[in-house]
Amino acid sequence: MNTSLSKILILCAAVLWGTTGTAQALASAEAHSVAIGAVRLAVGGLSLLAACLIQKKKVDVRHLPILPLTVAAASMAAYQPLFFSAVIKTGVAVGTMVAIGSAPLLSGVLDYIVYSKKPTKKWLLATFTGILGCCCLLLKKDSQIDVIGLGMAIGAGASFACYTTVNKKIVQYVDPQVGASLVFTTAAVLLIPCWFMYDMSWLVSLNGIGIALHLGILTTALAYVLFSTALKSMHASTAVTLSLAEPVTAFLLGVFLLGESLTLVNICGAVLVFVSLAFLTYSPKSSLNQEVHI
């Protein structure tokens, strides 16, 4: 796949992910964050599985990367309660910023450990600029950061980085859509106990159904298929840095849809993230598929 197209797919996936925190904020008060995460995985996993069956996609069980699939499923199962709980404790903007803002560095480390891929100067500069922008987006005069929520957000970032790293190995052997269906269906099974531990009555309302379908089909099934497809021709660390478009989306939705306040420092932060994404996405023809290693 063309490298530029892969980057566009990552950005599209990140924008979809950026709506998850706002969707949770609009959910019923009875909807617990862990329950929302379990529902998201169940709807997303079943949607992907149904799509694979309709398209009659075949799976060669002899070549399934069992260990990467297991790690990816466990990472996604852990990500859901960590991320949604962090959003509840720290707010949509802060929770999303910390979770996704911490992921690029963690992914860069994992990329080096697993694939022996040294970070490039371009990636380091883009990642530093993007994280600096995320920090500026977090600065508010009246904001108080919940330490436990902050820890949960970092845990979510680590889970996402881990998923991205092992998912690159999965798409080398399995069709991205098939791989995503296996990962999310397995992750949904791991979270089955949550269906009996939390109140699920909110699902019978129109609001609950809408939130579940949005989170499951758009922010999970569609977004992760786009992401997995792009990973076939991109380093995991680069993909995660491009995912910084997610917190920017969450921030903009928080400002314009949820009425969150906006300062000059916040605006500068958003500009920095956009600059980092533009810099990382831009690929001159002379160096389209080349990387300058440190």
Side-chain angles (χ1 to χ4, degrees), residues 150-172:
L150 189 65
M152 289 180 170
I154 295 175
S159 298
F160 180 66
C162 187
Y163 162 79
T164 304
T165 301
V166 297
N167 195 39
K168 184 166 180 63
K169 180 73 68 175
I170 295 172
V171 296
Q172 292 176 357

Side-chain angles (χ1 to χ4, degrees), residues 73 227 291:
F227 188 74
E291 294 200 51

Side-chain angles (χ1 to χ4, degrees), residues 57-176:
K57 289 183 176 290
K58 296 182 179 179
V59 180
D60 186 354
V61 294
R62 297 173 299 176
H63 297 94
L64 280 180
I66 302 300
L67 181 58
L69 281 169
T70 302
V71 174
S75 297
M76 280 295 98
Y79 176 85
Q80 307 306 317
L82 286 171
F83 174 75
F84 286 113
S85 296
V87 167
I88 288 293
K89 289 182 173 294
T90 64
V92 174
V94 174
T96 306
M97 292 293 175
V98 175
I100 303 305
S102 63
L105 289 178
L106 296 171
S107 182
V109 173
L110 289 173
D111 223 8
Y112 178 72
I113 294 174
V114 177
Y115 301 109
S116 299
K117 300 292 185 182
K118 293 184 179 179
T120 64
K121 293 180 180 179
K122 183 175 183 179
W123 177 83
L124 286 171
L125 181 58
T127 299
F128 174 77
T129 304
I131 293 177
L132 179 61
C134 286
C135 292
C136 291
L137 285 169
L138 291 176
L139 295 177
K140 291 184 179 180
K141 294 180 180 179
D142 58 346
S143 63
Q144 293 183 346
I145 305 299
D146 185 291
V147 177
I148 295 178
L150 189 65
M152 289 180 170
I154 295 175
S159 298
F160 180 66
C162 187
Y163 162 79
T164 304
T165 301
V166 297
N167 195 39
K168 184 166 180 63
K169 180 73 68 175
I170 295 172
V171 296
Q172 292 176 357
Y173 297 94
V174 184
D175 176 86

Side-chain angles (χ1 to χ4, degrees), residues 5-275:
L5 178 58
S6 295
K7 292 175 180 178
I8 292 174
L9 293 182
I10 295 290
L11 292 175
C12 289
V15 170
L16 289 172
W17 290 331
T19 67
T20 56
T22 300
Q24 180 183 6
L26 297 175
S28 170
E30 289 76 24
H32 193 278
S33 56
V34 177
I36 291 176
V39 169
R40 180 191 184 189
L41 283 181
V43 175
L46 291 175
S47 299
L48 286 166
L49 193 60
C52 288
L53 292 174
I54 292 173
Q55 298 174 55
K56 297 181 179 179
K57 289 183 176 290
K58 296 182 179 179
V59 180
D60 186 354
V61 294
R62 297 173 299 176
H63 297 94
L64 280 180
I66 302 300
L67 181 58
L69 281 169
T70 302
V71 174
S75 297
M76 280 295 98
Y79 176 85
Q80 307 306 317
L82 286 171
F83 174 75
F84 286 113
S85 296
V87 167
I88 288 293
K89 289 182 173 294
T90 64
V92 174
V94 174
T96 306
M97 292 293 175
V98 175
I100 303 305
S102 63
L105 289 178
L106 296 171
S107 182
V109 173
L110 289 173
D111 223 8
Y112 178 72
I113 294 174
V114 177
Y115 301 109
S116 299
K117 300 292 185 182
K118 293 184 179 179
T120 64
K121 293 180 180 179
K122 183 175 183 179
W123 177 83
L124 286 171
L125 181 58
T127 299
F128 174 77
T129 304
I131 293 177
L132 179 61
C134 286
C135 292
C136 291
L137 285 169
L138 291 176
L139 295 177
K140 291 184 179 180
K141 294 180 180 179
D142 58 346
S143 63
Q144 293 183 346
I145 305 299
D146 185 291
V147 177
I148 295 178
L150 189 65
M152 289 180 170
I154 295 175
S159 298
F160 180 66
C162 187
Y163 162 79
T164 304
T165 301
V166 297
N167 195 39
K168 184 166 180 63
K169 180 73 68 175
I170 295 172
V171 296
Q172 292 176 357
Y173 297 94
V174 184
D175 176 86
Q177 186 174 328
V178 173
S181 68
L182 293 173
V183 168
F184 286 99
T185 301
T186 304
V189 171
L190 293 176
L191 291 186
I192 283 179
C194 296
W195 288 76
F196 303 96
M197 296 170 59
Y198 300 96
D199 181 13
M200 293 292 185
S201 60
W202 58 277
L203 273 176
V204 299
S205 66
L206 289 177
N207 176 267
I209 294 173
I211 295 294
L213 292 178
H214 172 76
L215 290 176
I217 296 177
L218 295 181
T219 73
T220 303
L222 177 58
Y224 279 98
V225 166
L226 294 175
F227 188 74
S228 297
T229 301
L231 273 180
K232 297 182 73 173
S233 56
M234 183 180 297
H235 288 172
S237 54
T238 301
V240 174
T241 299
L242 287 172
S243 297
L244 289 175
E246 175 182 349
V248 174
T249 302
F251 176 78
L252 293 176
L253 287 174
V255 170
F256 295 107
L257 187 61
L258 302 179
E260 296 182 357
S261 59
L262 182 67
T263 67
L264 179 59
V265 175
N266 297 150
I267 295 175
C268 292
V271 171
L272 283 174
V273 176
F274 278 122
V275 168

